[in-house]
Every structure is written in C-alpha cells, then in structure tokens.
Amino acid sequence: MAREPQHRGRRDREEQPEFADRLVAINRVSKTVKGGKRFGFAALVVVGDQKGRVGFGKGKAKEVPEAIRKATEQAKRQMIRVPLREGRTLHHDMEGRHGAGKVVMRSAPEGTGIIAGGPMRAVFEMLGVKDVVAKSLGSQNPYNMIRATIDGLKKESSPRAIAQRRGKKVAEILHKSDAAKTAGQPAAEAAEA
C-alpha cells in the first residue's frame, strides 16, 4: 500500500512535462514501388518552456506519431535561451535570415499580442513571448521561416549582457528617455501637489 502513492507521484510528474510542443507541419512523401506506393512522413515540431527557451526539430518516419516523436526529441536537444524583457516581449527589433527566408521581429507594448504568421507564431508561443509584431519576407517554406526566426532570436542581447561586455552598469546602457521618464515622474507629481 505504501508503494502506490510514490508511483502515483512519479506519474504526475510525467504528465506535467517541462516543455510544451507545437506541431508546425507534416509532409507526406510517397515512393512508387512494384506493389504500389510506400508513404513516408516528415514532421516539423517547435518545443519550448514558455519562459525563454525554444528549439525546433524535424523527424522522418513511416508513421506520423514516430515522426513527431523524433522531431520532438531533436527539438529538445537543440534548444536556445532567449532573454525576454519583462518576460513578455523582445528587448529590441531584429532581423533573421536563412536561405531565401527573411523575418523582421519588433518588440511591442503590452496588450499587443502575437502578430505573426503561422510557423513564427508557434516559435513565439513556445518561447513565452506575449507581445511581438513580426513579418515574414521571402520564403514561405515553414522550415526556412522557423530557421530564420531562430537566427534572429539568437542575435538578441539583453541590456545586462551588453553592460557586462562594456564594463558599465545597466542604467548607463538604457535609453536616456527611459531614465528621464523614471526620473521625471516624481518631479511631475511634486509639481502637481
């Protein structure tokens, strides 16, 4: 009797995985043989923890579930960490490229939501971004769009990382307008009183 609760706890842990995954595309290919056609499937999956880590993978197999499993495993191995501002948007605007695919990603104010096309939307949702505006230019191939999006996200750097590289404080790196807004608020309140 004492063993059952331990086993149940382990099952609960398995049911709540640390990563969420999103199937982006499935491609069916066929090979014609003497007896008919043999079908194969290729799956494209995006995996993320919705807290700043994301990865993508592709898998090929004779059955769809096996292709998805392979793609998910590959995606978990290829995860990258992306710094997020306030845990909801990007720190700065950026551009990503892969082959003929080009994507433009811009940070957005709170309440904007995810404004992005299909494969890019999956990447942002798995990353945990709440507000972003993105546009895909060039290739409409989901593989190239995801690779271009990941390429752009790899280029993102946080103010903390830049300050550390330059040997300065974060306050010195941030925009003067941001510093003026925070400094100007108490002065404006004192003027009103």
Side-chain angles (χ1 to χ4, degrees):
M1 283 240 202
R3 291 182 185 177
E4 285 181 33
Q6 291 173 351
H7 182 70
R8 193 177 303 134
R10 202 170 0 155
R11 193 182 309 138
D12 288 343
R13 251 185 283 131
E14 290 172 9
E15 285 175 7
Q16 295 176 348
E18 57 179 318
F19 300 118
D21 58 348
R22 175 71 50 90
L23 178 64
V24 177
I26 288 187
N27 188 28
R28 188 182 82 170
V29 294
S30 64
K31 175 185 178 184
T32 306
V33 292
K34 185 170 68 175
K37 291 183 179 180
R38 296 243 171 99
F39 294 108
F41 297 92
L44 177 61
V45 173
V46 176
V47 171
D49 66 354
Q50 298 176 338
K51 293 175 192 158
R53 289 174 64 200
V54 70
F56 79 98
K58 56 184 198 230
K60 295 197 264 186
K62 296 290 180 193
E63 301 292 331
V64 175
E66 183 67 10
I68 292 171
R69 186 190 62 76
K70 286 181 181 178
T72 306
E73 282 180 11
Q74 185 184 16
K76 286 179 182 174
R77 286 195 302 266
Q78 296 182 354
M79 294 192 85
I80 62 165
R81 182 170 293 283
V82 180
L84 299 177
R85 182 170 66 188
E86 301 167 10
R88 63 166 190 83
T89 189
L90 306 173
H91 281 288
H92 54 85
D93 302 353
M94 68 198 89
E95 209 173 87
R97 289 185 149 277
H98 185 272
K102 177 182 168 185
V103 297
V104 178
M105 297 169 274
R106 304 188 69 181
S107 57
E110 197 167 356
T112 304
I114 299 174
I115 301 174
M120 291 173 69
R121 175 179 289 275
V123 173
F124 292 130
E125 286 174 355
M126 295 301 104
L127 185 60
V129 174
K130 308 274 188 305
D131 304 301
V132 69
V133 177
K135 179 70 181 164
S136 168
L137 307 166
S139 176
Q140 295 300 305
N141 180 334
Y143 288 85
N144 288 347
M145 279 174 74
I146 286 180
R147 283 196 179 106
T149 306
I150 298 285
D151 174 62
L153 292 171
K154 282 180 183 174
K155 294 177 187 173
E156 187 182 20
S157 53
S158 67
R160 181 180 291 154
I162 292 171
Q164 190 176 14
R165 205 171 355 173
R166 295 185 190 173
K168 295 186 174 188
K169 293 180 180 168
V170 177
E172 296 173 31
I173 300 294
L174 292 174
H175 295 295
K176 300 290 184 216
S177 60
D178 290 347
K181 282 179 190 173
T182 55
Q185 285 174 349
E189 289 170 6
E192 289 174 9

